[in-house]
Amino acid sequence: MRVDIYRRLDAGQAGDVFSYLAVPEGKPIPEEVVNTDWEEEGTGIDAGEQAQMLRDYGIEGPVAQIEEKGYAITSLRALQG
């Protein structure tokens, strides 16, 4: 699976901490998350078909998240530490 990655600065976090959003390559950001200021980070990233983690972006279970809701997002655990 290939994805496009977007990022946003997380307010209230110490230092420059970003959240990341992955959507299937070429697809728009879903309506429920479009109201946030996402910036393009990369396009056509190979997430693999069975990827359990996009480590560089702190996204756990990207394939399962995308199948469930149309996008995958950084986990809270990745943001906390």
Side-chain angles (χ1 to χ4, degrees):
M1 171 182 287
R2 296 179 69 81
V3 297
D4 295 335
I5 304 287
Y6 298 87
R7 73 177 187 172
R8 70 169 184 217
L9 185 61
D10 270 325
Q13 297 290 330
D16 289 338
V17 177
F18 291 93
S19 287
Y20 294 93
L21 175 77
V23 296
E25 183 178 30
K27 299 284 185 183
I29 295 173
E31 286 293 319
E32 64 263 28
V33 292
V34 78
N35 62 344
T36 305
D37 295 330
W38 294 103
E39 300 174 5
E40 188 175 289
E41 171 76 8
T43 58
I45 308 296
D46 186 5
E49 293 303 316
Q50 302 298 320
Q52 297 299 312
M53 179 77 168
L54 286 174
R55 195 164 313 283
D56 291 347
Y57 307 108
I59 299 175
E60 296 178 3
V63 174
Q65 284 192 62
I66 289 170
E67 288 175 353
E68 180 182 329
K69 54 191 177 192
Y71 64 92
I73 196 162
T74 301
S75 73
L76 290 176
R77 280 189 293 207
L79 290 175
Q80 294 169 350

